[in-house]
Amino acid sequence: MVGWPAMGKDSHYDIFIKDCRILQAAGSGFLLVPGSIGIRNGRLATVGGEGHPPGFTADRLIDGRGLVAMPGLVNCHVHGAMTLFRGLADDLPLMTWLEEHMFPAEARFVTGEMVYWCTKLAAAEMLLSGTTTVADAYFHMDAAVRAYQESGMRAVLGQAVIDFPAPGVPDPAKNIEAVADFIDRFPSSPLLQPAVFAHSPYTCNAETLVQARGLARQRQTPFFIHLAETQIEQALTGVKDLGPVAYLDSLGILDPGVIAVHCVWLSEVDMDILAHRGCRVVSCPESNMKLASGVAPVPAMLARNIMVGLGTDGCASNNDLDLFGEMDSCAKLAKVNNLQPEVLPARDVLRMATSMGASCLGLKDIGTLEEGMRADLILVDSLSPRLTPFFSPDLLVYGARGADVDTVIVNGRLIVNQGELLSMDVREIMTKVREMAVKVGSGDGR
């Protein structure tokens, strides 16, 4: 138990959460500590004291009994606007799914309006299931910026680079210019920041990859790329005797500013290269399972001190954005793949979805519940049937689901209260997306 501040100016809070259980790091694991949380000016002002300080006041008082306070989840890779294509093309291998279904659908139906509304739907789904920070990468990202501004989420937003005509960039020769313009006109925001997203080594030629990486370095933004997602990726790049990781390394692409997504088919040498270059990795286990791409060697990467975040990927290949379910899949998939139940324990996956995920995105003041950190946190209902009894924090990985999230706070702002989204009209969003889906289902791109 910690002492409360003396009465005076420090006794007023914007939000005060009384008598919850707080998830806190303890050695190599986590503990649930009874206590209360005070939020002031977007940050955690007090964490831990039981009850409440004498003479305190708060703009909003939340009764935390039965609730577990934990850091907001960090989804390190999603294509938000692809909510429109949820369930459009299931049970297909990656290249068939991409070339015969997704790329044609995107060419016909992706517009700025579509990205705006469908990204809002993704944001609503993520917020309601406890995700407070996301890295989103797609086309028409100006529209996504508007959507996330309205949602109240924290987001890193990457404009896509690809070497064929794309939504919003019909001339591939202008793909780098389009990203540079996106970064240069990006609005000043405490919650949003721009990034460069080079789709993959097989959809971007060497010159494009080098220019895209150079732009990210020049503008000091994160650089995302799909990497080593499938077994056939080496053949797709057309580069003999070099796998995708070695190929990027030969181009001078790899360094600590790179966030490589998927990284399923890695050799020991590949992992050594990523570790040596300081690259960060995002694993998307459910998307990889659904597309039968394979199993990322997450335990082996963590053993090399490679930072690994967790992502859902887009709705078209998952088909949901529930990071609680993703944590469960990630832990269990590693165990069955290695035939070792002790591999990738729940505590490691919790870090991947919180503090390590934040570090993966280069965000230094979220991911843990400590005084002075940004107030990005969620309250989980530990009294739900699937969380009863609640013996340890491991159950947040193996039992909790997004539906158990009661409260979401981002940067000190209450976004979800008792399961209700406050920042956007969910019914309006779903109505708009359903109208668009009618055209997709009928094949009418007008």
Side-chain angles (χ1 to χ4, degrees):
M1 177 177 175
V2 299
W4 293 109
M7 291 178 61
K9 65 177 182 179
D10 289 335
S11 64
H12 180 79
Y13 302 93
D14 301 322
I15 300 175
F16 193 86
I17 305 164
K18 180 184 174 184
D19 298 332
C20 60
R21 285 192 288 174
I22 304 169
L23 182 73
Q24 294 189 321
S28 62
F30 290 92
L31 291 175
L32 288 174
V33 180
S36 299
I37 297 173
I39 297 169
R40 185 187 303 118
N41 297 328
R43 294 189 180 270
L44 299 173
T46 59
V47 179
E50 294 183 17
H52 56 79
F56 92 111
T57 58
D59 294 335
R60 182 180 288 269
L61 178 64
I62 296 175
D63 184 351
R65 286 176 295 180
L67 301 177
V68 171
M70 63 180 290
L73 303 182
V74 181
N75 189 339
C76 290
H77 183 66
V78 73
H79 308 298
M82 293 187 82
T83 50
L84 181 63
F85 305 133
R86 190 196 315 260
L88 180 64
D90 293 328
D91 306 322
L92 296 168
L94 175 65
M95 298 315 299
T96 302
W97 176 80
L98 271 177
E99 294 176 351
E100 298 181 19
H101 297 273
M102 289 302 108
F103 287 160
E106 288 174 333
R108 297 185 66 183
F109 300 110
V110 175
T111 64
E113 183 183 19
M114 173 269 189
V115 169
Y116 171 71
W117 286 108
C118 296
T119 300
K120 288 186 76 170
L121 180 60
E125 181 181 353
M126 286 187 283
L127 284 165
L128 287 166
S129 57
T131 293
T132 55
T133 297
V134 65
D136 192 341
Y138 206 56
F139 308 103
H140 283 294
M141 289 303 286
D142 289 299
V145 170
R146 288 174 49 221
Y148 283 114
Q149 282 178 320
E150 294 172 16
S151 77
M153 284 189 78
R154 194 178 299 278
V156 179
L157 304 175
Q159 171 67 32
V161 175
I162 200 165
D163 275 341
F164 52 77
V169 189
D171 182 359
K174 297 182 179 179
N175 53 17
I176 303 299
E177 178 184 338
V179 183
D181 289 344
F182 168 73
I183 295 171
D184 291 344
R185 64 176 176 267
F186 200 89
S188 176
S189 168
L191 295 177
L192 308 180
Q193 69 178 81
V196 176
F197 167 52
H199 181 270
S200 65
Y202 57 87
T203 57
C204 298
N205 63 36
E207 181 181 2
T208 297
L209 291 170
V210 170
Q211 289 182 351
R213 186 70 196 96
L215 175 65
R217 286 174 177 143
Q218 183 186 58
R219 299 297 202 276
Q220 296 183 321
T221 71
F223 177 86
F224 293 84
I225 186 167
H226 292 144
L227 182 63
E229 184 175 0
T230 66
Q231 194 172 17
I232 63 171
E233 191 165 310
Q234 179 174 348
L236 295 173
T237 63
V239 180
K240 294 182 179 180
D241 303 322
L242 284 179
V245 174
Y247 169 53
L248 292 189
D249 198 39
S250 73
L251 297 176
I253 299 291
L254 302 181
D255 60 30
V258 170
I259 303 168
V261 181
H262 297 303
C263 291
V264 173
W265 291 91
L266 299 180
S267 67
E268 297 289 326
V269 172
D270 290 335
M271 287 187 280
D272 290 341
I273 291 173
L274 292 173
H276 178 67
R277 298 299 185 195
C279 298
R280 294 161 277 172
V281 169
V282 180
S283 180
C284 303
E286 290 187 0
S287 176
N288 296 155
M289 284 193 288
K290 185 165 183 275
L291 293 167
S293 297
V295 181
V298 172
M301 288 190 278
L302 292 177
R304 287 170 167 80
N305 293 319
I306 297 172
M307 281 191 291
V308 184
L310 195 61
T312 57
D313 213 341
C315 275
S317 66
N318 187 301
N319 292 30
D320 64 60
L321 305 178
D322 185 346
L323 211 58
F324 278 101
E326 205 76 36
M327 284 195 286
D328 182 52
S329 295
C330 183
K332 292 174 180 174
L333 186 60
K335 297 173 193 306
V336 73
N337 188 54
N338 290 274
L339 298 179
Q340 296 178 29
E342 69 274 18
V343 165
L344 201 58
R347 61 179 180 268
D348 290 349
V349 181
L350 265 175
R351 287 194 179 90
M352 289 172 62
T354 55
S355 59
M356 192 180 299
S359 296
C360 191
L361 299 182
L363 303 175
K364 297 179 180 180
D365 55 358
I366 64 169
T368 62
L369 299 186
E370 302 173 52
E371 292 181 8
M373 298 289 280
R374 287 287 175 187
D376 288 14
L377 64 93
I378 63 177
L379 300 178
V380 177
D381 181 6
S382 66
L383 302 181
S384 74
R386 64 178 146 257
L387 296 181
T388 302
F390 200 112
F391 289 122
S392 89
D394 291 355
L395 198 58
L396 293 168
V397 171
Y398 295 131
R401 290 296 180 268
D404 298 313
V405 174
D406 176 271
T407 303
V408 175
I409 296 170
V410 182
N411 206 42
R413 176 188 175 192
L414 184 65
I415 303 292
V416 175
N417 182 41
Q418 296 181 337
E420 179 186 357
L421 183 62
L422 305 179
S423 59
M424 299 184 293
D425 186 336
V426 179
R427 290 182 181 273
E428 178 191 26
I429 294 167
M430 291 193 295
T431 296
K432 292 288 188 181
V433 175
R434 287 185 182 120
E435 291 172 355
M436 295 177 184
V438 170
K439 296 182 178 181
V440 175
S442 68
D444 182 5
R446 294 174 293 177

